[in-house]
Tab-separated table of all heavy atoms in Angstrom:
chain	number	residue	atom	x	y	z
A	1	MET	N	108.848	101.370	101.319
A	1	MET	CA	109.669	100.310	100.792
A	1	MET	C	109.940	99.306	101.910
A	1	MET	O	110.074	99.661	103.071
A	1	MET	CB	110.983	100.895	100.265
A	1	MET	CG	111.900	99.837	99.698
A	1	MET	SD	113.406	100.494	98.979
A	1	MET	CE	112.745	101.360	97.588
A	2	SER	N	110.037	98.067	101.542
A	2	SER	CA	110.292	97.012	102.521
A	2	SER	C	111.738	97.051	102.990
A	2	SER	O	112.600	97.649	102.362
A	2	SER	CB	109.995	95.649	101.911
A	2	SER	OG	110.979	95.319	100.953
A	3	SER	N	111.975	96.371	104.097
A	3	SER	CA	113.344	96.333	104.616
A	3	SER	C	114.282	95.645	103.623
A	3	SER	O	115.419	96.079	103.425
A	3	SER	CB	113.375	95.623	105.965
A	3	SER	OG	112.967	94.273	105.842
A	4	THR	N	113.791	94.603	102.978
A	4	THR	CA	114.614	93.897	101.989
A	4	THR	C	114.924	94.819	100.809
A	4	THR	O	116.051	94.865	100.329
A	4	THR	CB	113.909	92.621	101.496
A	4	THR	OG1	113.649	91.787	102.625
A	4	THR	CG2	114.745	91.883	100.486
A	5	GLY	N	113.928	95.555	100.366
A	5	GLY	CA	114.128	96.496	99.262
A	5	GLY	C	115.151	97.559	99.604
A	5	GLY	O	116.001	97.913	98.774
A	6	ASP	N	115.075	98.073	100.838
A	6	ASP	CA	116.056	99.068	101.273
A	6	ASP	C	117.461	98.484	101.267
A	6	ASP	O	118.413	99.133	100.823
A	6	ASP	CB	115.725	99.569	102.689
A	6	ASP	CG	114.532	100.502	102.727
A	6	ASP	OD1	114.369	101.298	101.790
A	6	ASP	OD2	113.764	100.440	103.705
A	7	LYS	N	117.589	97.263	101.767
A	7	LYS	CA	118.909	96.640	101.833
A	7	LYS	C	119.462	96.366	100.440
A	7	LYS	O	120.648	96.582	100.183
A	7	LYS	CB	118.857	95.366	102.678
A	7	LYS	CG	118.669	95.658	104.167
A	7	LYS	CD	118.799	94.438	105.025
A	7	LYS	CE	117.518	93.665	105.061
A	7	LYS	NZ	117.534	92.539	106.003
A	8	VAL	N	118.608	95.910	99.522
A	8	VAL	CA	119.051	95.620	98.151
A	8	VAL	C	119.477	96.901	97.447
A	8	VAL	O	120.545	96.954	96.816
A	8	VAL	CB	117.941	94.886	97.360
A	8	VAL	CG1	118.270	94.830	95.877
A	8	VAL	CG2	117.737	93.488	97.914
A	9	LYS	N	118.655	97.946	97.551
A	9	LYS	CA	119.017	99.217	96.925
A	9	LYS	C	120.296	99.770	97.546
A	9	LYS	O	121.134	100.343	96.862
A	9	LYS	CB	117.884	100.241	97.065
A	9	LYS	CG	116.731	100.012	96.101
A	9	LYS	CD	115.716	101.106	96.183
A	9	LYS	CE	116.154	102.252	95.298
A	9	LYS	NZ	115.145	103.311	95.165
A	10	GLY	N	120.428	99.580	98.842
A	10	GLY	CA	121.629	100.040	99.522
A	10	GLY	C	122.871	99.339	99.017
A	10	GLY	O	123.903	99.962	98.763
A	11	MET	N	122.776	98.025	98.857
A	11	MET	CA	123.933	97.269	98.346
A	11	MET	C	124.270	97.695	96.922
A	11	MET	O	125.447	97.815	96.563
A	11	MET	CB	123.654	95.767	98.398
A	11	MET	CG	123.762	95.198	99.791
A	11	MET	SD	123.752	93.406	99.864
A	11	MET	CE	122.029	93.041	99.556
A	12	ALA	N	123.234	97.942	96.109
A	12	ALA	CA	123.463	98.366	94.726
A	12	ALA	C	124.147	99.731	94.689
A	12	ALA	O	125.101	99.938	93.917
A	12	ALA	CB	122.145	98.410	93.962
A	13	ASN	N	123.672	100.658	95.520
A	13	ASN	CA	124.295	101.982	95.555
A	13	ASN	C	125.725	101.914	96.076
A	13	ASN	O	126.606	102.601	95.577
A	13	ASN	CB	123.470	102.953	96.415
A	13	ASN	CG	122.411	103.658	95.615
A	13	ASN	OD1	122.639	104.077	94.495
A	13	ASN	ND2	121.232	103.800	96.191
A	14	GLU	N	125.936	101.079	97.063
A	14	GLU	CA	127.281	100.935	97.619
A	14	GLU	C	128.233	100.372	96.555
A	14	GLU	O	129.351	100.863	96.383
A	14	GLU	CB	127.250	100.032	98.845
A	14	GLU	CG	128.515	100.062	99.643
A	14	GLU	CD	128.410	99.310	100.958
A	14	GLU	OE1	127.293	98.942	101.377
A	14	GLU	OE2	129.464	99.095	101.558
A	15	ALA	N	127.779	99.368	95.826
A	15	ALA	CA	128.613	98.764	94.778
A	15	ALA	C	128.889	99.765	93.663
A	15	ALA	O	130.036	99.893	93.205
A	15	ALA	CB	127.924	97.520	94.219
A	16	ALA	N	127.865	100.482	93.237
A	16	ALA	CA	128.046	101.474	92.179
A	16	ALA	C	129.000	102.577	92.636
A	16	ALA	O	129.832	103.058	91.855
A	16	ALA	CB	126.704	102.071	91.772
A	17	GLY	N	128.887	102.962	93.892
A	17	GLY	CA	129.783	103.969	94.430
A	17	GLY	C	131.224	103.511	94.426
A	17	GLY	O	132.139	104.272	94.106
A	18	ASN	N	131.419	102.252	94.771
A	18	ASN	CA	132.781	101.698	94.755
A	18	ASN	C	133.353	101.684	93.342
A	18	ASN	O	134.536	101.979	93.142
A	18	ASN	CB	132.795	100.288	95.347
A	18	ASN	CG	132.743	100.290	96.851
A	18	ASN	OD1	133.339	101.144	97.493
A	18	ASN	ND2	132.031	99.348	97.428
A	19	VAL	N	132.523	101.346	92.373
A	19	VAL	CA	132.975	101.335	90.976
A	19	VAL	C	133.347	102.751	90.535
A	19	VAL	O	134.404	102.969	89.931
A	19	VAL	CB	131.894	100.731	90.048
A	19	VAL	CG1	132.246	100.950	88.581
A	19	VAL	CG2	131.711	99.246	90.342
A	20	LYS	N	132.476	103.719	90.861
A	20	LYS	CA	132.765	105.107	90.492
A	20	LYS	C	134.075	105.580	91.117
A	20	LYS	O	134.858	106.270	90.470
A	20	LYS	CB	131.639	106.039	90.946
A	20	LYS	CG	130.459	106.071	90.039
A	20	LYS	CD	129.468	107.114	90.515
A	20	LYS	CE	128.255	107.184	89.638
A	20	LYS	NZ	127.286	108.185	90.106
A	21	GLN	N	134.285	105.207	92.365
A	21	GLN	CA	135.529	105.604	93.025
A	21	GLN	C	136.734	105.016	92.296
A	21	GLN	O	137.737	105.698	92.079
A	21	GLN	CB	135.540	105.133	94.480
A	21	GLN	CG	134.618	105.922	95.382
A	21	GLN	CD	134.647	105.395	96.794
A	21	GLN	OE1	135.679	105.482	97.450
A	21	GLN	NE2	133.542	104.852	97.264
A	22	GLY	N	136.631	103.754	91.931
A	22	GLY	CA	137.726	103.092	91.229
A	22	GLY	C	138.005	103.714	89.882
A	22	GLY	O	139.168	103.957	89.524
A	23	VAL	N	136.950	103.988	89.132
A	23	VAL	CA	137.119	104.605	87.814
A	23	VAL	C	137.682	106.014	87.976
A	23	VAL	O	138.598	106.415	87.245
A	23	VAL	CB	135.778	104.626	87.042
A	23	VAL	CG1	135.884	105.471	85.786
A	23	VAL	CG2	135.336	103.207	86.695
A	24	GLY	N	137.154	106.752	88.943
A	24	GLY	CA	137.650	108.103	89.181
A	24	GLY	C	139.119	108.112	89.564
A	24	GLY	O	139.892	108.957	89.097
A	25	LYS	N	139.508	107.161	90.384
A	25	LYS	CA	140.908	107.069	90.802
A	25	LYS	C	141.791	106.693	89.615
A	25	LYS	O	142.861	107.267	89.419
A	25	LYS	CB	141.044	106.038	91.922
A	25	LYS	CG	142.421	105.958	92.520
A	25	LYS	CD	142.458	104.991	93.696
A	25	LYS	CE	143.853	104.935	94.302
A	25	LYS	NZ	143.913	104.026	95.454
A	26	ALA	N	141.336	105.726	88.823
A	26	ALA	CA	142.126	105.248	87.691
A	26	ALA	C	142.300	106.317	86.613
A	26	ALA	O	143.335	106.381	85.951
A	26	ALA	CB	141.479	104.006	87.080
A	27	THR	N	141.283	107.156	86.452
A	27	THR	CA	141.336	108.172	85.400
A	27	THR	C	141.772	109.538	85.915
A	27	THR	O	141.895	110.480	85.130
A	27	THR	CB	139.956	108.316	84.710
A	27	THR	OG1	138.992	108.730	85.690
A	27	THR	CG2	139.529	107.033	84.047
A	28	GLY	N	141.956	109.649	87.226
A	28	GLY	CA	142.332	110.937	87.797
A	28	GLY	C	141.178	111.916	87.857
A	28	GLY	O	141.374	113.124	87.938
A	29	ASN	N	139.950	111.391	87.815
A	29	ASN	CA	138.752	112.231	87.833
A	29	ASN	C	138.270	112.363	89.283
A	29	ASN	O	137.556	111.500	89.804
A	29	ASN	CB	137.674	111.598	86.945
A	29	ASN	CG	136.447	112.469	86.789
A	29	ASN	OD1	136.135	113.290	87.645
A	29	ASN	ND2	135.731	112.263	85.693
A	30	ASP	N	138.656	113.467	89.922
A	30	ASP	CA	138.305	113.668	91.329
A	30	ASP	C	136.803	113.823	91.545
A	30	ASP	O	136.277	113.409	92.575
A	30	ASP	CB	139.032	114.884	91.899
A	30	ASP	CG	140.532	114.654	92.025
A	30	ASP	OD1	140.943	113.472	92.169
A	30	ASP	OD2	141.289	115.639	91.992
A	31	LYS	N	136.104	114.416	90.557
A	31	LYS	CA	134.659	114.592	90.681
A	31	LYS	C	133.960	113.229	90.726
A	31	LYS	O	133.088	113.000	91.563
A	31	LYS	CB	134.114	115.430	89.524
A	31	LYS	CG	132.632	115.684	89.638
A	31	LYS	CD	132.100	116.507	88.476
A	31	LYS	CE	130.603	116.693	88.636
A	31	LYS	NZ	129.952	117.039	87.393
A	32	MET	N	134.335	112.328	89.841
A	32	MET	CA	133.715	111.005	89.818
A	32	MET	C	134.045	110.247	91.101
A	32	MET	O	133.190	109.554	91.652
A	32	MET	CB	134.147	110.194	88.602
A	32	MET	CG	133.480	108.817	88.544
A	32	MET	SD	133.872	107.894	87.060
A	32	MET	CE	132.807	108.720	85.904
A	33	ARG	N	135.253	110.389	91.557
A	33	ARG	CA	135.663	109.716	92.789
A	33	ARG	C	134.821	110.221	93.968
A	33	ARG	O	134.352	109.431	94.771
A	33	ARG	CB	137.146	109.997	93.032
A	33	ARG	CG	137.779	109.115	94.036
A	33	ARG	CD	139.276	109.322	93.992
A	33	ARG	NE	139.907	108.652	95.101
A	33	ARG	CZ	141.162	108.780	95.435
A	33	ARG	NH1	141.950	109.543	94.729
A	33	ARG	NH2	141.649	108.138	96.454
A	34	ALA	N	134.608	111.537	94.037
A	34	ALA	CA	133.789	112.117	95.099
A	34	ALA	C	132.335	111.654	94.995
A	34	ALA	O	131.696	111.349	96.006
A	34	ALA	CB	133.860	113.638	95.052
A	35	GLU	N	131.813	111.592	93.780
A	35	GLU	CA	130.449	111.103	93.578
A	35	GLU	C	130.340	109.657	94.056
A	35	GLU	O	129.321	109.261	94.627
A	35	GLU	CB	130.051	111.189	92.102
A	35	GLU	CG	129.805	112.590	91.614
A	35	GLU	CD	129.573	112.656	90.111
A	35	GLU	OE1	129.610	111.607	89.427
A	35	GLU	OE2	129.354	113.777	89.610
A	36	GLY	N	131.371	108.884	93.822
A	36	GLY	CA	131.386	107.498	94.264
A	36	GLY	C	131.339	107.387	95.773
A	36	GLY	O	130.632	106.540	96.326
A	37	VAL	N	132.080	108.248	96.454
A	37	VAL	CA	132.065	108.239	97.919
A	37	VAL	C	130.664	108.560	98.429
A	37	VAL	O	130.146	107.886	99.321
A	37	VAL	CB	133.101	109.245	98.482
A	37	VAL	CG1	132.923	109.426	99.982
A	37	VAL	CG2	134.511	108.794	98.167
A	38	VAL	N	130.042	109.574	97.844
A	38	VAL	CA	128.688	109.971	98.264
A	38	VAL	C	127.706	108.833	98.015
A	38	VAL	O	126.880	108.512	98.875
A	38	VAL	CB	128.239	111.260	97.527
A	38	VAL	CG1	126.766	111.536	97.757
A	38	VAL	CG2	129.087	112.438	97.975
A	39	GLN	N	127.789	108.207	96.851
A	39	GLN	CA	126.871	107.120	96.527
A	39	GLN	C	127.090	105.931	97.452
A	39	GLN	O	126.136	105.285	97.884
A	39	GLN	CB	127.018	106.707	95.066
A	39	GLN	CG	125.915	105.758	94.618
A	39	GLN	CD	125.860	105.609	93.110
A	39	GLN	OE1	126.677	106.156	92.383
A	39	GLN	NE2	124.890	104.865	92.646
A	40	GLU	N	128.336	105.641	97.782
A	40	GLU	CA	128.627	104.542	98.693
A	40	GLU	C	128.014	104.821	100.069
A	40	GLU	O	127.396	103.944	100.681
A	40	GLU	CB	130.128	104.343	98.827
A	40	GLU	CG	130.487	103.217	99.776
A	40	GLU	CD	131.978	103.041	99.963
A	40	GLU	OE1	132.769	103.851	99.446
A	40	GLU	OE2	132.355	102.090	100.657
A	41	LYS	N	128.159	106.042	100.558
A	41	LYS	CA	127.596	106.402	101.867
A	41	LYS	C	126.069	106.335	101.835
A	41	LYS	O	125.437	105.914	102.803
A	41	LYS	CB	128.051	107.804	102.288
A	41	LYS	CG	129.542	107.918	102.495
A	41	LYS	CD	130.045	106.975	103.570
A	41	LYS	CE	131.541	107.078	103.741
A	41	LYS	NZ	132.097	105.990	104.520
A	42	LYS	N	125.478	106.730	100.704
A	42	LYS	CA	124.017	106.635	100.555
A	42	LYS	C	123.592	105.174	100.657
A	42	LYS	O	122.608	104.844	101.324
A	42	LYS	CB	123.589	107.215	99.201
A	42	LYS	CG	122.114	107.104	98.938
A	42	LYS	CD	121.746	107.655	97.558
A	42	LYS	CE	120.288	107.438	97.253
A	42	LYS	NZ	119.930	107.902	95.907
A	43	GLY	N	124.332	104.298	100.017
A	43	GLY	CA	124.031	102.873	100.069
A	43	GLY	C	124.137	102.317	101.476
A	43	GLY	O	123.297	101.531	101.912
A	44	GLU	N	125.172	102.744	102.189
A	44	GLU	CA	125.330	102.293	103.570
A	44	GLU	C	124.156	102.750	104.427
A	44	GLU	O	123.655	101.998	105.270
A	44	GLU	CB	126.652	102.816	104.146
A	44	GLU	CG	127.873	102.150	103.535
A	44	GLU	CD	129.178	102.813	103.948
A	44	GLU	OE1	129.162	103.797	104.721
A	44	GLU	OE2	130.236	102.336	103.484
A	45	ALA	N	123.698	103.982	104.199
A	45	ALA	CA	122.560	104.506	104.957
A	45	ALA	C	121.283	103.733	104.621
A	45	ALA	O	120.487	103.420	105.520
A	45	ALA	CB	122.371	105.991	104.669
A	46	GLN	N	121.084	103.419	103.345
A	46	GLN	CA	119.894	102.651	102.952
A	46	GLN	C	119.901	101.273	103.602
A	46	GLN	O	118.859	100.790	104.051
A	46	GLN	CB	119.835	102.497	101.427
A	46	GLN	CG	119.411	103.741	100.710
A	46	GLN	CD	119.488	103.597	99.200
A	46	GLN	OE1	120.466	103.080	98.663
A	46	GLN	NE2	118.475	104.068	98.512
A	47	GLN	N	121.053	100.650	103.659
A	47	GLN	CA	121.140	99.341	104.304
A	47	GLN	C	120.822	99.452	105.796
A	47	GLN	O	120.141	98.593	106.357
A	47	GLN	CB	122.524	98.739	104.106
A	47	GLN	CG	122.766	98.273	102.681
A	47	GLN	CD	124.102	97.589	102.550
A	47	GLN	OE1	124.326	96.577	103.190
A	47	GLN	NE2	124.977	98.144	101.733
A	48	ALA	N	121.289	100.520	106.414
A	48	ALA	CA	121.014	100.729	107.836
A	48	ALA	C	119.523	100.910	108.076
A	48	ALA	O	118.973	100.393	109.061
A	48	ALA	CB	121.786	101.936	108.354
A	49	VAL	N	118.852	101.612	107.176
A	49	VAL	CA	117.396	101.788	107.291
A	49	VAL	C	116.707	100.431	107.197
A	49	VAL	O	115.805	100.124	107.982
A	49	VAL	CB	116.863	102.755	106.198
A	49	VAL	CG1	115.346	102.700	106.102
A	49	VAL	CG2	117.329	104.169	106.479
A	50	GLY	N	117.131	99.612	106.253
A	50	GLY	CA	116.547	98.274	106.105
A	50	GLY	C	116.749	97.427	107.346
A	50	GLY	O	115.831	96.739	107.803
A	51	LYS	N	117.940	97.497	107.928
A	51	LYS	CA	118.216	96.727	109.145
A	51	LYS	C	117.389	97.248	110.311
A	51	LYS	O	116.903	96.467	111.137
A	51	LYS	CB	119.712	96.782	109.466
A	51	LYS	CG	120.546	95.985	108.493
A	51	LYS	CD	122.033	96.127	108.757
A	51	LYS	CE	122.845	95.410	107.690
A	51	LYS	NZ	124.282	95.602	107.876
A	52	ALA	N	117.210	98.557	110.379
A	52	ALA	CA	116.390	99.134	111.449
A	52	ALA	C	114.940	98.692	111.307
A	52	ALA	O	114.280	98.371	112.306
A	52	ALA	CB	116.497	100.657	111.425
A	53	LYS	N	114.450	98.668	110.078
A	53	LYS	CA	113.078	98.202	109.852
A	53	LYS	C	112.921	96.751	110.294
A	53	LYS	O	111.910	96.385	110.885
A	53	LYS	CB	112.690	98.336	108.377
A	53	LYS	CG	112.399	99.748	107.951
A	53	LYS	CD	111.996	99.785	106.475
A	53	LYS	CE	111.717	101.171	105.985
A	53	LYS	NZ	111.350	101.191	104.550
A	54	ASP	N	113.930	95.933	109.998
A	54	ASP	CA	113.891	94.535	110.442
A	54	ASP	C	113.835	94.455	111.961
A	54	ASP	O	113.071	93.670	112.519
A	54	ASP	CB	115.134	93.770	109.957
A	54	ASP	CG	115.034	93.332	108.508
A	54	ASP	OD1	113.924	93.348	107.940
A	54	ASP	OD2	116.089	92.969	107.943
A	55	ALA	N	114.647	95.260	112.629
A	55	ALA	CA	114.695	95.242	114.089
A	55	ALA	C	113.358	95.661	114.681
A	55	ALA	O	112.872	95.045	115.640
A	55	ALA	CB	115.803	96.147	114.597
A	56	VAL	N	112.751	96.678	114.114
A	56	VAL	CA	111.438	97.137	114.595
A	56	VAL	C	110.396	96.048	114.376
A	56	VAL	O	109.600	95.762	115.261
A	56	VAL	CB	111.022	98.447	113.894
A	56	VAL	CG1	109.571	98.780	114.156
A	56	VAL	CG2	111.921	99.592	114.324
A	57	LYS	N	110.429	95.438	113.196
A	57	LYS	CA	109.457	94.385	112.884
A	57	LYS	C	109.609	93.220	113.860
A	57	LYS	O	108.623	92.677	114.359
A	57	LYS	CB	109.622	93.901	111.448
A	57	LYS	CG	108.577	92.887	111.052
A	57	LYS	CD	108.687	92.497	109.602
A	57	LYS	CE	107.537	91.591	109.272
A	57	LYS	NZ	107.876	90.394	108.592
A	58	LYS	N	110.841	92.822	114.135
A	58	LYS	CA	111.075	91.721	115.077
A	58	LYS	C	110.582	92.087	116.464
A	58	LYS	O	110.026	91.252	117.171
A	58	LYS	CB	112.543	91.343	115.095
A	58	LYS	CG	112.993	90.610	113.854
A	58	LYS	CD	114.468	90.300	113.866
A	58	LYS	CE	114.885	89.677	112.538
A	58	LYS	NZ	116.322	89.461	112.444
A	59	GLY	N	110.765	93.336	116.854
A	59	GLY	CA	110.297	93.785	118.162
A	59	GLY	C	108.783	93.776	118.236
A	59	GLY	O	108.206	93.393	119.265
A	60	VAL	N	108.116	94.188	117.172
A	60	VAL	CA	106.654	94.191	117.126
A	60	VAL	C	106.122	92.762	117.128
A	60	VAL	O	105.135	92.449	117.794
A	60	VAL	CB	106.144	94.981	115.899
A	60	VAL	CG1	104.654	94.783	115.699
A	60	VAL	CG2	106.475	96.463	116.048
A	61	ASP	N	106.775	91.890	116.378
A	61	ASP	CA	106.333	90.494	116.306
A	61	ASP	C	106.418	89.801	117.657
A	61	ASP	O	105.604	88.927	117.976
A	61	ASP	CB	107.172	89.710	115.272
A	61	ASP	CG	106.834	90.107	113.839
A	61	ASP	OD1	105.775	90.750	113.615
A	61	ASP	OD2	107.625	89.774	112.936
A	62	LYS	N	107.408	90.180	118.480
A	62	LYS	CA	107.566	89.571	119.790
A	62	LYS	C	106.535	90.081	120.793
A	62	LYS	O	106.233	89.414	121.771
A	62	LYS	CB	108.971	89.833	120.336
A	62	LYS	CG	110.036	89.037	119.629
A	62	LYS	CD	111.401	89.288	120.254
A	62	LYS	CE	112.474	88.487	119.535
A	62	LYS	NZ	113.801	88.707	120.127
A	63	ALA	N	106.013	91.281	120.543
A	63	ALA	CA	105.068	91.892	121.489
A	63	ALA	C	103.695	91.278	121.419
A	63	ALA	O	103.310	90.525	120.656
A	63	ALA	CB	104.966	93.398	121.210
């Protein structure tokens, strides 16, 4: 997957995780809230992978 694709999927997962957390909190559903936290962290990791790919690509392009 491209760096842009990783970043986009990461943002989508992070946003979905935030929504799940909010719904879980509002409804008192601890399981949904926990799933939201996990999904948000997954999104953050995907974005980090995309940024790392960009950094590697920039380093290769300069060489």
Side-chain angles (χ1 to χ4, degrees):
M1 180 176 293
S2 71
S3 63
T4 302
D6 286 323
K7 289 188 277 186
V8 169
K9 283 186 85 172
M11 284 191 285
N13 271 318
E14 192 172 348
N18 282 323
V19 170
K20 279 185 180 179
Q21 287 179 65
V23 170
K25 186 176 181 179
T27 61
N29 186 334
D30 291 333
K31 182 181 179 200
M32 181 176 283
R33 195 170 170 189
E35 288 173 0
V37 170
V38 170
Q39 190 166 3
E40 180 182 6
K41 296 300 179 194
K42 177 182 175 183
E44 290 171 0
Q46 285 175 315
Q47 288 184 61
V49 167
K51 289 176 185 176
K53 285 181 181 179
D54 280 345
V56 168
K57 184 176 185 229
K58 287 177 185 175
V60 170
D61 288 344
K62 288 183 180 180

